[in-house]
Every structure is written in structure tokens, then in C-alpha cells.
Amino acid sequence: MVYPTRPLRIAGFLVAMLLCLGNPARAQIVAIGASNVAGRGVSSSDAWPAQLEAMLAAKGRNVHVTNAGISGDTNAGMLARLDSAVPEGTKIVLLDRFGGGWNARRRGQGDQNADLAAIEARLRSRHIRVIPMWWNAVLRNYLQPDHIHFTVEGHKVVAAHMLPVVMSAVR
């Protein structure tokens, strides 16, 4: 009697490998920063990293934007968690260069510019492209009642301004 289990096992193994490999063309992007990256006060799907991912998909870019923002984080905190927040295979980091320093100064911890420089140096040493998060005075028109955190529309404005730069980086 012939048992067809060996060919089935081989076929199953091949299918599993294909599923595990996923789409190798999919670019990995991580947005790291404080509360305006995390999306404090809005849903996670309304935060600018998620909106940017949707905009990129609408333009035919096959990417995933991981939101590694933490409300209240400082530059020192981002530096401490950098290796776990930005996994191997990451191609681009969208870096909030303002929120962490603002939080540190608010807590009397100084401006933490050295920590910010260390974050950028470590990412570049890993051959990861660093794109600063877009900030502009116009965002004052898109703040929640706390006058700190972006509204849904503010997140959309950030994503829309970052779209061309990120699109060119994932060609």
C-alpha cells in the first residue's frame, strides 16, 4: 500500500514557507516618537502613521508603517527602546524630533539633544534611512483642546506632507 503522506508533507511545507515569507517587496517603516506619533486623543487608525500607510497604499506602494509612538516619551526613552522598537529589516524610520525633547524639558530633564543625535546615529549605522516627522506652525490650527495633540485632521495634514518624501524613499 502506498501512503501519499510524504508528497502531502512536502507540499504543506512549501505552502507554509511561502506564507511565512510573505511579500518580500513589502517595505518596513517604523514611526517612532511621543504622543503625536502614538495618536493621543484619536483612534490608532486616525494617527498619522496609519493614515500615511493608507495614503501610500492608495498610491500603489506596498508598505507597512509600524506605529512605535508612546505618549509622554522622551528622547532618552526612545533611545533606550530603539532596538526593540525598530526591528531588523526596517528600511525607514520616521522620527519625531520634537515631542521627546519637549517632554524631557517639561519634566526638567533638559533638551536631550545628545540622545536625539544618538538615535539618528544608531539608525544610520544600521543603514536605516531617517526621515524627520513633518512639523510646521500650521499645525497649531489642528490641535485638540489641550493645545498639544493633533486632531484627526492634523494627523491627516502630517501624513499628507510626509507622503511625497516617503514615496520617493520606497521606490
Side-chain angles (χ1 to χ4, degrees), residues 82-90 121-128:
L82 191 64
D83 292 333
S84 62
V86 181
E88 289 300 317
T90 300
R122 188 179 302 170
L123 292 169
R124 288 191 175 106
S125 75
R126 291 175 55 191
H127 307 288
I128 297 172

Side-chain angles (χ1 to χ4, degrees), residues 58-76:
K59 296 283 186 181
R61 300 300 195 275
N62 187 21
V63 300
H64 175 63
V65 180
T66 299
N67 188 336
I70 295 179
S71 291
D73 207 0
T74 63
N75 292 342

Side-chain angles (χ1 to χ4, degrees), residues 10-160:
I10 292 171
F13 174 75
L14 292 173
V15 168
M17 282 195 51
L18 288 173
L19 290 174
C20 289
L21 289 176
N23 184 349
R26 188 171 173 94
Q28 175 63 33
I29 300 172
V30 175
I32 189 167
S35 54
N36 274 320
V37 175
R40 183 170 179 161
V42 301
S43 71
S44 60
S45 63
D46 285 328
W48 70 261
Q51 290 198 43
L52 178 62
E53 181 177 314
M55 290 175 184
L56 288 162
K59 296 283 186 181
R61 300 300 195 275
N62 187 21
V63 300
H64 175 63
V65 180
T66 299
N67 188 336
I70 295 179
S71 291
D73 207 0
T74 63
N75 292 342
M78 285 186 279
L79 180 59
R81 66 187 177 89
L82 191 64
D83 292 333
S84 62
V86 181
E88 289 300 317
T90 300
K91 305 293 184 209
I92 300 167
V93 165
L94 309 174
L95 178 61
D96 173 4
R97 301 182 80 214
F98 297 101
W102 185 85
N103 286 328
R105 285 187 301 279
R106 181 173 59 87
R107 295 179 186 156
Q109 298 172 351
D111 62 19
Q112 297 187 352
N113 284 332
D115 295 299
L116 184 61
I119 290 167
E120 292 190 46
R122 188 179 302 170
L123 292 169
R124 288 191 175 106
S125 75
R126 291 175 55 191
H127 307 288
I128 297 172
R129 180 165 178 188
V130 177
I131 299 174
M133 176 183 159
W134 182 82
W135 281 87
N136 187 288
V138 73
L139 289 170
R140 290 185 202 137
N141 298 320
Y142 301 100
L143 295 177
Q144 295 176 36
D146 66 6
H147 301 287
I148 298 169
H149 300 101
F150 305 146
T151 62
V152 171
E153 189 61 31
H155 283 276
K156 188 179 293 184
V157 168
V158 172

